[in-house]
Each structure stands twice: as C-alpha cells, then as structure tokens.
Amino acid sequence: MEIKVKAYAKINLLLDIICKRNDGYHDLFMIMQSIGLYDTVTVSETKSKDITISCNIDDIPLDEKNIAHKAATAFFKETGIKNKGINIDIVKRIPHAAGLAGGSADGAGVLVALNELCASGLTDDELCKIGVKIGADVPFCIKGGTLLAQGIGDVLNKVKPLRKCYILIAKPQCGVNTGFAYGQFDEHGKVHTPDKFGMLCALQNRDLKDICLKMENVFEQFIDVPNKVDIKDIMRSNGALGVCMSGSGPTVFGIFEEKEKAETAAGELKGLAKDIAVTVPVSKGCKICR
C-alpha cells in the first residue's frame, strides 16, 4: 500500500522578526501563503523495518539528515506505532534552499501520508504538534492556505484568503543559509518594521492591491541577493502589483492580476534566475492524491 501527497510550497507575504528568544529561536510575525508549486511525496510499505528515501535529484540527503526522514521517525515515536518499513519517494519541483519551505513541505507530506497509511486518525493540530519538533515551518505546511504565523512560526491563525491572482517566482542561482540570515539580524537588527496592522486590514478587506503594497520582508534589509533589483524591476515593469522576497531568500516573487503579464515577465527573467514559475495561491498545505 502507498499514499501519495502533493506537498505545496509557501511564500511570505509579510515577514517581521520581533526578537530573539532565550532559547535561541526568534519570535516572528508572518503572513504565509501556500502556492501551487509542489513536491510529490509517496510513502509506501516495504516490510524492511527501515526508513528509506529516494529522490529525483542528486543534491538531497537520503538519510536521517533529510527532514522527511526526521518526520517519519518523529511520527512513529510520538504515536507509538511500530515501523514495519517504509520508503519515502520525493519528486522535487520546489527549488531547494529557496525560502519556499521545500524541505518543510516534504516533512509535512510524510506526516500526512503516514497518518493516512497507518489509519492513526490524528487531526491536523495533532500532526502540527509532531511537525513543530522537526521544523518551524512544518505546521504551516500541514495546514496551508493563507495564515498568520506567530511564535517561531508554530502559532497559526486563519486570515481571509487571497483573491484570484498569479504568482511569479524567481530563484537566482545562489542560496541563502537561514542560520546566517538570522545571525545578521542578531548582529545588525532592523531599520524598519513592516506595517503589520495595515497588512491585516488589507487581508480582512481582501484588497489585493493594498495587500501587495503592504508586502515586506525584514530579511531584505540585511540579506543581499544577486540580481534582486533587476528581477523586481522586470516584474514591476510587466504589471506586478507588488514584489517581495520569500523567507530568508533568495527567491523573489511578484503578484499579478493577469496571467499573461506574469508569463511575459517570466520570459524576460531568463538569465537572471535559475528557477522560474508562474503559479497561483492554494488553500491547502498538503493534498492526498486519490
């Protein structure tokens, strides 16, 4: 028996770092949005008593360093269900080390798949309690949609969903180490605080233009991404309502009302970005393929 799950990527419509906590983590205020770009995670029974991983790309660890492996280990430990042997096959479409929560999405996909495979009947909230132990973005990747995330990213509350729009993502060749990014905040702090209340009001009104005007990511104040200025200029010149960086980078995204304009911008971005895609908002973090 096997369970196949679509594990969706995310973008940050707003990301503010409030402070560094005594435990070394950071308190955050984020508006997170699931997008239609996804990895396919297939969990199948093997009767080997082991957890094995396969993947369609070469630069992903296939051992206990992979968050998907950690998710499976945590699931069996927390539920008390005996692992008779599983294989986790990951078909990656979400760019790696991109600020799009690709690894966390895979971990969420494993938890959702195992919950179904083992008929354990856990709620999303119960899966989130397991997920937060392996990664701060995993709870969001389980629930998905449009959510306000606070704490380390584990305190989630619904906000009104985005109106129909098209999201162009562009990831430059480089990567950004998340630990380094937070270290820069710890060392330098921030010079401007995003308009969190204004963003919440715009979301409540479902005013797409105002939401886009309020988009901001504090990491952009101290993380330098090659070609970011040019990528943003191309998106804006082709009609993007707003542009922003996702997570700790380096992916930049733009929000468009018209698909044709997003696709035109995508064509002009070739040569400036390694991974380019036009997608849409989605209302789930994970979806079991029936």
Side-chain angles (χ1 to χ4, degrees):
M1 185 178 177
E2 68 176 33
I3 301 294
K4 183 176 293 186
V5 174
K6 291 181 179 179
Y8 293 103
K10 64 85 183 170
I11 56 173
N12 297 90
L13 301 176
L14 186 143
L15 193 160
D16 191 17
I17 305 173
I18 307 303
C19 64
K20 185 174 182 179
R21 297 157 40 132
N22 292 333
D23 59 8
Y25 288 95
H26 294 77
D27 276 321
L28 306 170
F29 185 105
M30 302 182 289
I31 304 297
M32 302 175 79
Q33 174 65 55
S34 301
I35 59 175
L37 186 65
Y38 64 89
D39 290 350
T40 302
V41 178
T42 305
V43 179
S44 53
E45 297 173 324
T46 64
K47 299 182 181 179
S48 66
K49 298 183 180 179
D50 293 322
I51 299 169
T52 56
I53 300 176
S54 53
C55 188
N56 64 318
I57 61 174
D58 295 330
D59 60 344
I60 299 297
L62 303 179
D63 55 14
E64 63 276 0
K65 295 178 183 177
N66 191 308
I67 194 169
H69 192 291
K70 294 176 181 177
T73 300
F75 177 86
F76 290 122
K77 179 181 178 182
E78 295 297 324
T79 61
I81 295 172
K82 186 176 180 180
N83 176 25
K84 297 178 181 179
I86 60 166
N87 181 71
I88 303 166
D89 181 67
I90 303 171
V91 178
K92 287 206 71 66
R93 300 178 187 87
I94 304 172
H96 181 53
L100 299 173
S104 295
D106 295 342
V110 168
L111 292 175
V112 170
L114 283 173
N115 191 40
E116 182 79 6
L117 188 69
C118 299
S120 48
L122 298 181
T123 65
D124 283 351
D125 286 338
E126 289 169 328
L127 288 176
C128 286
K129 288 179 181 178
I130 300 174
V132 73
K133 296 178 181 179
I134 57 175
D137 282 341
V138 176
F140 172 80
C141 290
I142 291 170
K143 291 192 171 185
T146 314
L147 296 177
L148 165 62
Q150 295 174 276
I152 62 172
D154 59 324
V155 181
L156 302 173
N157 289 283
K158 285 186 177 182
V159 292
K160 289 189 177 180
L162 285 185
R163 292 188 180 276
K164 182 179 178 181
C165 62
Y166 298 91
I167 300 168
L168 170 60
I169 66 162
K171 177 187 179 288
Q173 183 74 34
C174 68
V176 176
N177 180 277
T178 302
F180 170 79
Y182 278 106
Q184 291 295 103
F185 168 80
D186 295 339
E187 183 176 352
H188 303 292
K190 58 185 177 182
V191 296
H192 181 263
T193 296
D195 183 2
K196 297 186 283 293
F197 180 72
M199 174 60 88
L200 290 174
C201 290
L203 287 163
Q204 177 66 22
N205 294 328
R206 300 191 72 198
D207 185 331
L208 186 62
K209 291 183 179 179
D210 199 20
I211 289 168
C212 290
L213 288 173
K214 297 293 191 298
M215 292 194 311
E216 188 171 350
N217 183 339
V218 295
F219 279 120
E220 293 197 60
Q221 297 177 24
F222 39 83
I223 295 296
D224 184 31
V225 174
N227 299 327
K228 183 179 74 172
V229 173
D230 292 336
I231 290 170
K232 286 187 171 185
D233 284 346
I234 288 172
M235 290 181 178
R236 289 193 184 100
S237 67
N238 281 284
L241 299 179
V243 295
C244 195
M245 187 174 79
S246 184
S248 58
T251 298
V252 175
F253 67 91
I255 295 182
F256 296 76
E257 287 184 301
E258 298 176 32
K259 185 178 182 180
E260 293 76 12
K261 291 182 178 181
E263 290 176 337
T264 299
E268 294 183 18
L269 287 173
K270 293 177 181 178
L272 291 177
K274 177 184 176 184
D275 298 286
I276 302 169
V278 176
T279 185
V280 294
V282 295
S283 60
K284 295 183 177 180
C286 290
K287 181 181 180 181
I288 296 175
C289 302
R290 301 293 185 183

